[in-house]
């Protein structure tokens, strides 16, 4: 057992250090600009020592006593081979994950494994060479592990006092390696974070550690106070209400307030939110991107065009919680996944039900993905139209029916006479790896299966729908919002890569006057504004602002992995786990100028980072009639 353990330790250090070195050389331009290899490799040794000690701690402690037993040698060999395969699997998975998400495997890695049908279908269709290469590498290293750890002879027995000494020495070494430090807080990812590039701060980690830490840290309901620092609940509520301009007289729901619509109509307008998958501003023409969206560009000239809208996160569930519920981001998981948000949680559908609306969610995939079905049906939506309900879809890919099929269902739904006004949330799927869409709709540029060509197709589908919508009876009594859930492949050499949170947001409909609006806007402002455009007066707890009102806008908030960003005018405050807050002047693109921390702005940022977690845990993001049922 002692020989097995020592060989495993040496092989694991070599594997993880080599993988880390290769990743660093791959990202050398970013590494070179942020201190070179030293902090990555040295920090990596600390993390690797922790991870390896966790894996070998028990075998190492038992070796002096049981190392002579063939049975325990076999058990140890099995455990070390299994641990070795885990280490190899995660490191083999890392390059593609970094390419897609600009970070090592983390909790998203685990979340995707909860949906094997969609994920493995995507991998098989879009990444066959990666799959075959990964499987081959795993098999090769698995064979090597069997040779190294699975065929070792038992140890020579030692006398009892030697076993005691060896066990004590081993216990001290294992304890120190696992704790990683003699300071008050044990080692964690922030211990080896060293620069303003979030991806580089994950390179000192190894991917098994990253995933295990993500699982441990996730717990779905993480406390932002434990991560960023604390503030009293009363102060948090007071700051958030002050910033939102809310006067509240209902202590049980601290942000409940009445919103009076800025527009009146002879009858309630239908409300439609079209959520575009991964359609960041970087792809558009009218927002000075790549110019891949001629249809959206044309619509922007016919719409209330919010040119400086920022998403709250980098995942669809984060965008959906902002657009459907007006809920701001936090270090905790998105509300759609939280167990305490599956009922009695505020959404537009909950509020509009009191106004006589019926609510529908339309999605080209399977609505159980990301817990959407449970969340929406539990919180006010009356009906879900998902892939299995679509009528004769033109194309079905890995993630579901194509965008044109989703829009056909939306058009059919809106064209169906209804006795009540309707609220519809429609979510597209085509703009997602492995970049599948029906042929003949666009002229692809180069390889058809690319994000650029899928953006072109998604844009084509938008144009086709609105051409029909303008000619339909529902156009004059419907207000539409087009907004992205988030950008694609968010990453960069900054703590919060703001340019990748910039998204399109357009209000359209027969009653909407075209205009360009250059105010700084958060994704959480869109839902209250939409209600006001539709002429709906109601009580709600949303802290987003009705942009129809003067002196609104001017701030945005976003969660990027473990970092929280609060942008006010051109000042960005960044909260990092267990580290002091930092502040920058943001001038667009990748231009950040460090500034002394403004304590008042820091207090404002911290309050907004803490508030979502606070009201979730207290069941205070709801409506009064829903609280009565608890």
């Amino acid at each position: 057992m002692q020989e097995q353990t020592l060989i495993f330790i040496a092989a694991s250090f070599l594997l993880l250090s080599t993988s880390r070195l290769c990743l660093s050389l791959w990202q050398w331009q970013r590494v070179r600009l942020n201190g070179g290899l030293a902090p990555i490799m040295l920090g990596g040794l600390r993390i690797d020592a922790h991870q390896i000690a966790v894996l070998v701690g028990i075998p190492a402690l038992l070796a002096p006593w049981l190392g002579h037993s063939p049975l325990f040698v076999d058990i140890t060999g099995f455990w070390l081979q299994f641990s070795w395969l885990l280490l190899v699997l995660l490191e083999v998975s890392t390059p593609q994950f970094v390419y897609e998400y600009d970070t090592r495997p983390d909790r998203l890695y685990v979340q995707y494994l909860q949906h094997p049908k969609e994920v493995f279908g995507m991998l098989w269709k879009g990444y066959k060479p990666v799959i075959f290469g990964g499987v081959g590498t795993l098999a090769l290293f698995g064979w090597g592990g069997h040779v190294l750890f699975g065929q070792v002879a038992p140890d020579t027995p030692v006398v009892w006092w030697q076993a005691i000494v060896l066990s004590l020495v081993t216990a001290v070494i294992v304890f120190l390696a696992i704790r990683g430090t003699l300071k008050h807080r044990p080692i964690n990812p922030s211990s080896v974070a060293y620069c303003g590039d979030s991806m580089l701060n994950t390179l000192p980690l190894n991917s098994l550690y990253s995933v295990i830490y993500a699982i441990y840290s996730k717990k779905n309901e993480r406390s932002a106070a434990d991560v960023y620092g604390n503030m009293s609940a009363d102060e948090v509520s007071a700051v958030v209400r002050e910033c939102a301009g809310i006067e509240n007289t209902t202590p049980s729901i601290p942000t409940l307030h009445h919103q009076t619509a800025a527009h009146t109509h002879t009858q309630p307008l239908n409300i439609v939110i079209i959520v575009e998958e991964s359609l960041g501003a970087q792809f558009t023409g009218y927002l000075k991107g790549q110019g891949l969206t001629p249809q959206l560009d044309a619509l922007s000239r016919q719409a209330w065009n919010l040119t400086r809208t920022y998403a709250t996160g980098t995942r669809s569930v984060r965008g959906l919680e902002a657009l459907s519920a007006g809920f701001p981001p936090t270090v905790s998981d998105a509300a759609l996944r939280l167990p305490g948000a599956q009922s009695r949680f505020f959404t537009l559908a909950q509020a509009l039900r009191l106004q006589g609306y019926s609510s529908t969610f339309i999605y080209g995939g399977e609505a159980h993905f990301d817990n959407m079905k449970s969340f929406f049906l539990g919180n006010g939506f009356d009906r879900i139209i998902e892939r299995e309900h679509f009528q004769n879809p033109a194309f079905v890919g890995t993630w579901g029916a194509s965008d044109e099929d989703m829009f056909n269902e939306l058009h059919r739904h809106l064209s169906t006479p209804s006795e009540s006004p309707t609220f519809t949330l429609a979510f597209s799927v085509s703009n997602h790896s492995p970049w599948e869409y029906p042929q003949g709709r666009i002229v692809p540029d180069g390889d058809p299966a690319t994000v650029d060509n899928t953006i072109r197709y998604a844009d084509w589908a938008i144009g086709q729908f609105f051409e029909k919508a303008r000619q339909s009876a529902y156009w004059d009594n419907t207000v539409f919002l087009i907004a992205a859930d988030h950008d694609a492949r968010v990453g960069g050499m900054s703590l919060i890569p703001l340019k990748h949170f910039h998204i399109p947001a357009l209000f359209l409909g027969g009653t909407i006057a075209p205009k360009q609006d250059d105010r700084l806007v958060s994704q959480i402002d869109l839902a209250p504004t939409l209600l006001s455009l539709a002429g709906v007066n109601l009580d709600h707890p949303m802290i987003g602002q009705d942009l129809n009102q003067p002196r609104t806008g001017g701030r945005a908030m976003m969660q990027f992995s473990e970092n929280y960003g609060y942008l006010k005018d051109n000042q960005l405050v960044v909260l990092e786990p267990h580290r002091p807050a930092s502040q920058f002047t943001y001038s667009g693109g990748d231009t950040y100028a460090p500034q002394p921390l403004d304590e008042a702005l820091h207090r404002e940022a911290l309050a907004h980072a803490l508030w979502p977690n606070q009201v979730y845990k207290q069941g205070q993001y709801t409506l009064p009639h829903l609280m009565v049922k608890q």
Side-chain angles (χ1 to χ4, degrees):
M1 287 176 66
Q2 291 177 335
E3 182 180 358
Q4 285 174 307
T5 304
L6 291 174
I7 293 174
F8 178 86
I9 291 171
S12 298
F13 271 117
L14 180 61
L15 167 71
L16 299 175
S17 295
T18 302
S19 175
R20 184 174 294 111
L21 178 61
C22 290
L23 291 171
S24 300
L25 294 177
W26 174 37
Q27 299 290 336
W28 178 246
Q29 291 301 319
R30 295 166 71 170
V31 171
R32 181 178 59 83
L33 294 174
N34 289 276
L37 284 173
I40 294 174
M41 301 306 293
L42 294 176
L45 290 176
R46 295 179 63 194
I47 295 294
D48 293 347
H50 166 94
Q51 185 62 69
I52 294 169
V54 168
L55 297 174
V56 305
I58 293 178
L61 288 170
L62 293 177
W65 304 95
L66 301 173
H68 61 280
S69 167
L71 174 62
F72 280 97
V73 170
D74 290 339
I75 293 173
T76 300
F78 175 83
W79 169 248
L80 295 180
Q81 288 178 78
F82 174 75
S83 300
W84 175 252
L85 285 175
L86 280 181
L87 289 171
V88 173
L89 173 64
L90 269 296
E91 292 304 312
V92 168
S93 305
T94 298
Q96 189 65 41
F97 199 92
V98 170
Y99 178 72
E100 293 286 344
Y101 302 107
D102 207 47
T103 187
R104 274 191 184 269
D106 55 11
R107 62 184 178 182
L108 179 57
Y109 190 94
V110 180
Q111 290 169 4
Y112 270 153
L113 292 179
Q114 296 172 0
H115 304 279
K117 177 181 176 182
E118 292 89 346
V119 172
F120 290 131
M122 173 190 72
L123 293 174
W124 180 249
K125 290 187 177 181
Y127 301 95
K128 288 187 181 72
V130 175
I131 292 175
F132 289 126
V135 170
T137 302
L138 191 62
L140 179 63
F141 277 81
W143 173 80
H146 177 69
V147 172
L148 292 172
F149 320 128
Q151 301 179 5
V152 178
D155 298 337
T156 302
V158 297
V159 298
W160 64 269
W161 65 268
Q162 290 176 323
I164 292 175
V165 172
L166 287 172
S167 294
L168 289 175
V169 172
T170 300
V172 171
I173 294 173
V174 168
F175 173 79
L176 291 176
I178 291 177
R179 202 171 192 284
T181 178
L182 295 176
K183 296 180 180 179
H184 176 69
R185 185 181 297 276
I187 194 171
N188 59 51
S190 68
S191 302
V192 293
Y194 73 100
C195 69
D197 187 330
S198 296
M199 189 279 290
L200 294 187
N201 284 338
T202 69
L203 290 189
L205 311 179
N206 62 69
S207 293
L208 179 58
Y209 174 89
S210 181
V211 168
I212 292 175
Y213 187 84
I215 294 171
Y216 167 77
S217 300
K218 179 183 172 188
K219 300 177 184 174
N220 277 352
E221 303 172 2
R222 296 182 64 190
S223 170
D226 292 341
V227 176
Y228 301 130
N230 210 348
M231 182 184 290
S232 72
D234 290 342
E235 185 177 7
V236 168
S237 294
V239 171
V240 169
R241 284 198 301 267
E242 180 183 359
C243 293
I246 292 173
E247 295 183 6
N248 171 266
T249 57
T250 309
S252 59
I253 308 177
T255 56
L256 186 70
H257 64 286
H258 184 75
Q259 177 179 319
T260 301
H263 298 265
T264 57
H265 306 285
T266 56
Q267 60 181 3
L269 297 187
N270 299 322
I271 298 173
V272 177
I273 300 177
I274 297 172
V275 184
E276 283 294 315
E277 170 73 49
S278 303
L279 184 58
Q282 63 168 315
F283 300 112
T284 66
Y286 77 98
L287 294 175
K288 299 180 175 58
Q290 298 178 44
L292 305 178
T293 59
Q295 298 297 326
L296 197 63
D297 296 347
L299 289 174
S300 72
R301 296 187 288 272
Q302 306 160 14
W304 179 2
N305 171 19
L306 299 166
T307 65
R308 296 178 63 207
T309 304
Y310 284 81
T312 58
T314 62
R315 289 292 321 284
S316 296
V317 283
R318 190 67 79 189
L320 288 170
E321 78 174 353
L323 293 168
S324 69
F327 198 61
T330 184
V331 73
S332 179
D333 212 337
L336 276 72
R337 292 177 171 276
L338 298 178
Q342 301 309 301
S343 64
R344 300 187 177 93
F345 190 85
F346 175 83
T347 65
L348 290 181
Q350 295 276 37
L352 290 171
R353 175 177 283 178
L354 301 178
Q355 307 295 315
Y357 278 71
S358 62
S359 299
T360 302
F361 174 55
I362 301 178
Y363 178 57
E366 297 181 1
H368 68 82
F369 187 77
D370 271 340
N371 209 47
M372 292 184 290
K373 179 180 286 187
S374 173
F375 178 81
F376 289 134
L377 290 179
N379 290 304
F381 282 80
D382 303 293
R383 182 186 179 198
I384 288 180
I385 302 175
E386 55 184 318
R387 160 68 188 92
E388 64 179 349
H389 304 124
F390 280 26
Q391 300 180 19
N392 302 316
F395 179 85
V396 177
T398 302
W399 290 93
S402 66
D403 284 8
E404 65 190 78
D405 295 308
M406 185 276 289
F407 279 121
N408 286 339
E409 291 296 330
L410 176 59
H411 177 67
R412 186 178 296 111
H413 172 67
L414 295 176
S415 299
T416 302
S418 174
E419 296 181 357
S420 62
T422 63
F423 165 51
T424 309
L425 178 67
F427 185 22
S428 73
V429 301
S430 291
N431 187 31
H432 198 297
S433 174
W435 322 122
E436 300 170 304
Y437 53 89
Q439 297 180 356
R441 274 54 169 180
I442 64 167
V443 178
D445 183 4
D447 180 5
T450 63
V451 62
D452 287 2
N453 283 321
T454 312
I455 289 286
R456 292 186 177 95
Y457 167 72
D459 180 68
W460 174 88
I462 292 171
Q464 293 292 304
F465 169 74
F466 277 100
E467 184 176 337
K468 290 189 295 186
R470 286 184 181 280
Q471 301 170 11
S472 301
Y474 59 76
W475 176 256
D476 287 331
N477 66 345
T478 302
V479 55
F480 295 88
L481 165 63
I482 306 174
D485 53 356
H486 57 84
D487 195 5
R489 289 179 175 166
V490 178
M493 297 172 55
S494 53
L495 296 173
I496 302 288
L498 284 172
K499 69 179 182 181
H500 286 298
F501 285 83
H502 189 196
I503 58 171
L506 306 173
F507 291 107
L508 301 99
T511 62
I512 305 298
K515 63 178 177 179
Q516 179 171 307
D517 191 333
D518 298 326
R519 284 177 290 177
L520 174 61
V521 170
S522 172
Q523 207 172 27
I524 67 170
D525 297 326
L526 301 179
T529 304
L530 192 57
L531 293 174
S532 188
L533 287 172
V536 178
N537 303 298
L538 49 67
D539 293 339
H540 66 72
M542 294 185 288
I543 63 171
Q545 301 175 341
D546 175 8
L547 299 170
N548 294 279
Q549 304 297 335
R551 295 183 297 279
T552 52
R555 60 89 185 92
M557 56 206 74
M558 59 284 296
Q559 189 77 37
F560 179 55
S561 186
E562 301 290 290
N563 296 343
Y564 181 89
Y566 189 81
L567 179 65
K568 188 170 185 179
D569 298 324
N570 67 341
Q571 294 300 304
L572 172 67
V573 172
V574 179
L575 307 180
E576 298 178 77
H578 315 302
R579 292 166 68 89
S582 51
Q583 183 171 333
F584 306 87
T585 296
Y586 180 61
S587 302
D590 295 314
T591 308
Y592 301 79
Q595 300 292 333
L597 184 64
D598 182 329
E599 289 301 331
L601 188 57
H602 175 220
R603 175 173 173 265
E604 192 173 314
L606 181 59
H608 282 84
L610 298 176
W611 183 81
N613 184 257
Q614 176 178 303
V615 295
Y616 164 73
K617 287 191 172 181
Q618 298 299 320
Q620 295 174 330
Y621 199 73
T622 188
L623 294 171
H625 76 283
L626 297 174
M627 293 193 75
V628 171
K629 295 181 181 180
Q630 292 185 349

